[in-house]
Amino acid sequence: MTVSVGRSVVRQDADPKVRGQAVFGVDFELSGSLHAVLVRSPIASGRIRSVETSSAAAVPGVRLVATAADAPRILSGLALADQPLFAGDVVRYEGEPIAAVVADTVTIARAAAARVVVDIEPLPVVASLSAAVAPGAPLVHADWSTYRPSPGLPDWPRHDNVVGEMRFDSGGVDDVFSTADVVIEDVYTADRQYQAYLEPKSATAVYEAGRYTIHAAHQYHFNVRDRTAAALGILPSRVRVIGHHMGGGFGAKLDVGLEPYAALLARLAGAPVKMVNDRVEDLLSCNSRENAIIRVRSGVTRNGRILAREFLVDMDAGAYAGDTVFLTSIALFVAEGPYSVDRTRVVARALYTNTAPTGAFRGVSGTYLYFALERHTDNLANALGMDRRDFRIRNAIDAGHTMLNGQVLEDSDLLRAAFDAIDEVAPWETLGRGPNRGVGIAATVWLTNPMPGAVTLRLEPDGSLGVVTGAAEIGTGAVALGVRQVAAEELGIDPDLVVLTMPDTDAHAYDGGAQGSRTTHIVGRAVQHAAAGLRERIFGQAAKLLDSGADELEITDGRVRMVSDPQRTVTLGQVAGAAMFDGGPIISSGSYATPAPKHDPDAATGLLFATFPTPTYHVHVAEVEVDPVTGRVTVLRYLVAQEVGRAINPAGVMGQIQGGVTQGLGYALWETLQIGDDGRYRQRSLEAYKLPIALDVPRVEAILLEHPADAGPYGAKGVAEPPIVPVAAAIANAVADATGGSIVRLPITPDDVLNALESSKE
Amino acid sequence: MSAVTFTVNGRIVTLDADGADTLLTVLRDRLGLTGTKEGCAEGECGACTVLVDGVPVDSCLLNVHAVAGSDVLTIEGLATSDGRLSPIQQAFVDNFSVQCGFCTPGFLMTLTALIADTPTPDEVTIRSALSGNLCRCTGYSTIVDAVMAATGQTERS
């Protein structure tokens, strides 16, 4: 019987949020703050001839105008040190910062920024993946060979506009293709997707006594600290980052944004500096999900065994490596997906182009890699005349499956349970019947991010439990529900007695950020470690108060009592009060990071992300109807079976599934950042960028599959990222089924639907 | 600059404003009412929604002089004076309708007007009313749940 875990407890931060009291990054202001805006490049590629700042500097209320000349001459980056703070000699994407204006008000700063005259000689634009690797392509970085990986990373294969290349080959793939019964080859493309968090990026910084303090609304405060320090050429300990409520991030707020600029400008101005992106510059400069081209070829036997596969991926890193270079590794884990394949070759490249640098977005490259894999899987089944679901189940991995990196998935038979769970609710053969209707299915294996986390627990004399952690609450409830409920459970107290902190890199131990569904799993484990030490002190102190042995005690309902004599009790608050002058405050700390699963680090070259820790298993089914006149796709039903280990808060998990699927529907059907030949985005505002609204999305039917014995706090694994991963695949397969035609790109536009309907008639 | 007088959350305010001052910037920067959010400043996201004489409007698009003599209600004015949440606020807490919470004030203002107008809205009516409010976290279902609960159309869980 749990007091907290498994219950849909409501979140404490909902109250200030519904009152409008929660202070978000854009709301936070230090007294005496100045305001800064960036002057960004209007074109995608060019050589800077001059930057004329004097007329901007002369505007009343302007404190200073900074350019590359005012910043340290340092290149830095998340993976590769290839990016300056301000473009000095060349601009490489539209929106690249060239200068900054600091003024008394944001209105003055914007008006003055418009008076900075930037003279740029246009250079050829590398606007597409094919252009980046065309013979004689202009180099986005002429000096690429002089670049070095960020500290702690070994270098990897890269050349010219190829900023990263991951390569795996089991051998014998081509032999199979020349002898297999059936060989199918498909090419898919996916556009960029903007994270479109409702709160634009912001930062406020102040420089005092040789240290920078940055107020951030960010997913990963320790990365802000380290990346700001690297950009400014100082030690990380010279930077303090304090977190505030954040209005969504979805991966875009993992790398630094405005923070290093605010820090530099605060030092130059000698006053606090606040910066907030306007929505247009936020969209244009955002590290969106990358566009990609995926080529998949498979050789299969007539009875449906997959003998060989080639999986070739080109991803658009944009003008700087960012974190996209890491994401090439994901292709190794998706090339086979949740199916058995005898022989495989995988090549995934990240390419430089003259476009905004891309980066993490929930589900990262998995979204389009699974789109390609699962569309291709449908094509294999159809070519063999086999039912698409049967084909998948026949080839589904079993327990003990070895992935291409040599990692063994001990529990991968859980995938079959997910297929079964959906079929019980919505039998496959009953779905997608009727004219213009179709059904799609997609299965995935996904990971839980292993990055380290830590916590200090404090038992207070008023009976409350302080949970002191640098973990960030991005909005999912991972801290507000997950960590809090695990802590309450460990101490046997009401979750309302838990007091949570906001991240502060001076006060808290390292935390790996709100990413990859890690927070509840990792910090929850840290809480369990800390709680063991806390209980030891509680029992030691209570034993004195109750005149018993420490091993004769138990904690229940906020009290310590004797197992043999439950009437003899003392409250946790009394224990904390007694300890105050008998050993000191009751605290205990714990840390955790997922150990790397056993694997072969040399399985592939250029593998920056070598394992798939704490895997989870997922099946999604979509039923759609297409309008043969308008090409519009309506999602009639959407079903999810998700293996979660243990749902610490079932309503919270359901909220992640509904939200993740909705973002996936947007990706599949509406959202796109298209790139023109000039390297500039065609969608340049939230009006042009089509986000799902309430009328667009169905209520998702989700089944949570629990295996509480699994690793994790009470069995809990990552839950928030995976719900987006299979969505584009399931929807595309459903649209292909409904139209009888071919769907090969994301998003699926009305024209694509009408063309698919037309082609199926031929 | 010229003077403008209006009511905000029952309080009469008079201030000088120029032609570029929107209701949103006045609320946030002059009156310290930062519960109303700026998400896009182009009337697309609805995070800046407030009620002007009971009608939801995008305060980012409205010159402050346009509300002269009007009654403006913002998120800070929804709870009772003794701090009790309004039924739709409480339903947002109870139904997991809040994740990051940045869009939440705008949704609550739109829905406050909806419920005043249509005491028992059905699901399509709710979703239609929310066409001008973007939420990137929830996928909207729990927000619909909150409206159904606040209007007595479902059992409180």
Side-chain angles (χ1 to χ4, degrees):
Chain A
M1 174 84 175
T2 62
V3 298
S4 171
V5 163
R7 287 175 43 205
S8 292
V9 173
V10 302
R11 50 196 299 166
Q12 292 161 313
D13 63 352
D15 183 275
K17 286 175 176 176
V18 300
R19 291 179 191 274
Q21 291 173 335
V23 175
F24 289 81
V26 297
D27 302 326
F28 179 81
E29 198 149 315
L30 291 166
S31 65
S33 261
L34 303 175
H35 298 265
V37 300
L38 293 173
V39 178
R40 296 174 180 273
S41 175
I43 66 170
S45 176
R47 185 169 308 284
I48 297 175
R49 290 197 189 103
S50 65
V51 183
E52 171 52 49
T53 60
S54 56
S55 87
V59 172
V62 170
R63 299 299 183 97
L64 66 90
V65 184
T67 66
D70 301 294
R73 298 180 65 82
I74 291 173
L75 299 180
S76 62
L78 195 67
L80 188 69
D82 63 352
Q83 188 167 11
L85 266 184
F86 293 103
D89 305 321
V90 296
V91 291
R92 297 190 174 91
Y93 69 97
E94 184 201 14
E96 180 160 18
I98 295 174
V101 177
V102 182
D104 292 343
T105 70
V106 69
T107 307
I108 295 170
R110 288 216 177 277
R115 293 180 159 221
V116 173
V117 182
V118 183
D119 182 10
I120 305 175
E121 173 195 353
L123 292 173
V125 177
V126 178
S128 67
L129 291 166
S130 56
V133 289
L139 293 180
V140 176
H141 290 263
D143 294 334
W144 67 267
S145 64
T146 66
Y147 294 164
R148 292 292 166 260
S150 297
L153 279 179
D155 211 339
W156 57 86
R158 55 190 175 86
H159 61 91
D160 304 311
N161 287 331
V162 180
V163 63
E165 180 177 274
M166 188 277 298
R167 188 176 278 273
F168 170 91
D169 197 332
S170 65
V173 171
D174 293 322
D175 294 342
V176 174
F177 285 144
S178 60
T179 58
D181 293 341
V182 178
V183 176
I184 303 251
E185 181 168 9
D186 292 305
V187 181
Y188 301 98
T189 63
D191 285 355
R192 291 188 182 195
Q193 187 185 20
Y194 174 41
Q195 290 84 344
Y197 35 79
L198 266 290
E199 184 190 25
K201 292 182 182 179
S202 71
T204 295
V206 61
Y207 180 74
E208 285 172 343
R211 296 187 82 219
Y212 298 87
T213 298
I214 298 172
H215 294 268
H218 205 272
Q219 294 177 241
Y220 190 178
H221 300 82
F222 284 86
N223 190 47
V224 173
R225 181 193 68 175
D226 296 351
R227 292 273 288 114
T228 298
L232 299 180
I234 56 176
L235 290 172
S237 56
R238 298 269 305 280
V239 181
R240 176 187 185 185
V241 183
I242 297 174
H244 296 272
H245 286 293
M246 67 176 309
F250 313 110
K253 296 171 184 169
L254 284 168
D255 202 357
V256 281
L258 295 171
E259 296 86 0
Y261 298 96
L264 173 71
L265 296 170
R267 179 169 63 77
L268 295 175
V273 168
K274 178 175 178 177
M275 303 179 78
V276 181
N277 270 347
D278 75 24
R279 180 55 71 177
V280 172
E281 69 178 329
D282 198 273
L283 180 152
L284 294 180
S285 65
C286 188
N287 41 339
S288 296
R289 190 194 312 282
E290 65 280 2
N291 52 305
I293 302 172
I294 311 98
R295 296 174 179 82
V296 200
R297 183 161 57 142
S298 297
V300 292
T301 65
R302 258 181 221 96
N303 59 9
R305 194 168 136 212
I306 308 169
L307 298 176
R309 170 160 301 147
E310 184 177 60
F311 201 70
L312 308 176
V313 188
D314 279 345
M315 311 176 178
D316 194 341
Y320 296 99
D323 44 6
T324 301
V325 70
F326 285 114
L327 305 182
T328 55
S329 298
I330 301 290
L332 187 71
F333 304 101
V334 180
E336 298 182 337
Y339 309 114
S340 292
V341 180
D342 291 354
R343 295 171 185 281
T344 308
R345 174 161 60 226
V346 189
V347 182
R349 303 188 294 185
L351 307 181
Y352 279 138
T353 61
N354 288 120
T355 60
T358 55
F361 185 160
R362 193 180 198 169
V364 292
S365 48
T367 49
Y368 57 78
L369 296 176
Y370 267 111
F371 156 71
L373 178 87
E374 285 291 50
R375 279 269 56 235
H376 180 71
T377 302
D378 263 20
N379 288 345
L380 294 178
N382 289 337
L384 296 168
M386 296 176 68
D387 176 79
R388 294 174 290 145
R389 181 175 179 273
D390 287 347
F391 179 78
R392 285 176 167 82
I393 291 173
R394 178 183 301 217
N395 286 294
I397 53 179
D398 281 309
H401 173 77
T402 303
M403 292 197 293
L404 297 180
N405 66 339
Q407 179 185 340
V408 175
L409 300 177
E410 302 290 355
D411 54 2
S412 41
D413 52 330
L414 295 176
L415 180 69
R416 291 178 185 275
F419 278 105
D420 292 343
I422 287 192
D423 219 49
E424 279 177 28
V425 178
W428 172 248
E429 57 280 0
T430 66
L431 299 171
R433 301 289 173 196
N436 300 313
R437 290 192 173 193
V439 60
I441 188 167
T444 62
V445 185
W446 202 245
L447 74 159
T448 309
N449 181 296
M451 292 286 285
V455 70
T456 296
L457 300 179
R458 309 183 350 194
L459 187 66
E460 299 290 324
D462 67 359
S464 66
L465 179 70
V467 175
V468 183
T469 175
E473 174 52 67
I474 185 179
T476 57
V479 178
L481 302 173
V483 171
R484 170 175 154 237
Q485 287 180 245
V486 169
E489 188 70 41
E490 287 292 315
L491 267 295
I493 61 169
D494 186 324
D496 285 343
L497 293 173
V498 173
V499 177
L500 298 166
T501 53
M502 287 298 231
D504 180 340
T505 58
D506 272 8
H508 299 141
Y510 190 89
D511 183 85
Q515 58 172 327
S517 311
R518 62 172 279 287
T519 300
T520 298
H521 178 78
I522 298 283
V523 184
R525 293 287 291 261
V527 165
Q528 291 185 308
H529 291 166
L534 201 75
R535 281 194 299 266
E536 198 170 306
R537 277 226 45 206
I538 290 169
F539 287 135
Q541 192 70 44
K544 295 185 198 172
L545 297 173
L546 294 172
D547 195 21
S548 71
D551 56 357
E552 298 173 78
L553 301 174
E554 63 181 6
I555 300 175
T556 180
D557 198 21
R559 303 179 82 88
V560 186
R561 68 182 187 189
M562 280 192 74
V563 177
S564 60
D565 182 3
Q567 299 309 311
R568 281 175 69 187
T569 75
V570 61
T571 67
L572 286 173
Q574 288 170 324
V575 174
M580 201 57 88
F581 294 97
D582 184 11
I586 294 186
I587 63 165
S588 178
S589 297
S591 299
Y592 185 70
T594 308
K598 195 161 166 277
H599 68 287
D600 173 10
D602 300 320
T605 56
L607 188 66
L608 300 179
F609 199 103
T611 65
F612 229 51
T614 325
T616 55
Y617 304 90
H618 312 264
V619 175
H620 287 205
V621 169
E623 185 181 38
V624 304
E625 183 168 276
V626 297
D627 185 321
V629 177
T630 65
R632 181 176 167 83
V633 177
T634 301
V635 183
L636 302 172
R637 286 186 83 178
Y638 200 95
L639 297 117
V640 172
Q642 176 161 337
E643 196 271 313
V644 299
R646 176 74 177 274
I648 300 292
N649 186 308
V653 174
M654 294 302 247
Q656 289 312 298
I657 293 174
Q658 178 72 41
V661 169
T662 298
Q663 288 176 352
L665 294 178
Y667 183 54
L669 294 172
W670 305 296
E671 297 178 39
T672 175
L673 290 173
Q674 294 166 309
I675 300 162
D677 292 341
D678 57 1
R680 301 168 83 223
Y681 286 140
R682 292 190 174 132
Q683 291 75 17
R684 305 178 69 81
S685 69
L686 279 193
E687 186 182 4
Y689 189 84
K690 263 288 290 164
L691 289 163
I693 61 172
L695 283 167
D696 290 332
V697 294
R699 187 176 291 268
V700 175
E701 303 166 59
I703 305 151
L704 307 183
L705 304 174
E706 297 196 299
H707 304 88
D710 290 353
Y714 303 92
K717 303 179 193 174
V719 294
E721 185 173 41
I724 196 176
V725 177
V727 182
I731 293 292
N733 284 346
V735 174
D737 185 44
T739 58
S742 177
I743 297 294
V744 295
R745 64 180 192 183
L746 296 175
I748 305 160
T749 66
D751 278 347
D752 293 337
V753 172
L754 295 176
N755 288 337
L757 282 167
E758 195 60 35
S759 70
S760 72
K761 289 179 194 156
E762 286 161 9
Chain B
M1 285 284 198
S2 59
V4 56
T5 299
F6 55 102
T7 306
V8 179
N9 302 332
R11 187 165 63 96
I12 296 169
V13 296
T14 299
L15 44 81
D16 282 325
D18 70 21
D21 287 327
T22 63
L23 176 58
L24 176 62
T25 56
V26 167
L27 289 171
R28 287 181 58 83
D29 300 343
R30 306 274 296 277
L31 301 176
L33 297 171
T34 56
T36 305
K37 305 302 184 193
E38 179 179 311
C40 68
E42 57 183 22
E44 282 297 322
C45 76
C48 67
T49 306
V50 300
L51 302 190
V52 176
D53 297 325
V55 178
V57 298
D58 290 325
S59 63
C60 71
L61 296 179
L62 197 64
N63 186 280
V64 68
H65 285 284
V67 301
S70 290
D71 190 7
V72 176
L73 184 67
T74 73
I75 186 69
E76 290 89 349
L78 277 194
T80 61
S81 54
D82 63 354
R84 202 152 31 87
L85 297 177
S86 76
I88 187 65
Q89 283 177 306
Q90 187 62 51
F92 262 55
V93 174
D94 295 340
N95 289 275
F96 292 80
S97 318
V98 179
Q99 286 188 25
C100 86
F102 195 80
C103 72
T104 303
F107 272 85
L108 286 168
M109 300 318 292
T110 298
L111 292 170
T112 296
L114 171 71
I115 294 168
D117 217 41
T118 311
T120 54
D122 63 16
E123 178 153 352
V124 172
T125 304
I126 297 165
R127 288 181 184 267
S128 300
L130 293 175
S131 295
N133 290 84
L134 293 173
C135 173
R136 192 54 151 164
C137 294
T138 65
Y140 303 102
S141 291
T142 55
I143 293 173
V144 174
D145 293 342
V147 182
M148 299 304 267
T151 55
Q153 300 185 79
T154 48
E155 297 287 314
R156 279 272 285 279
S157 58

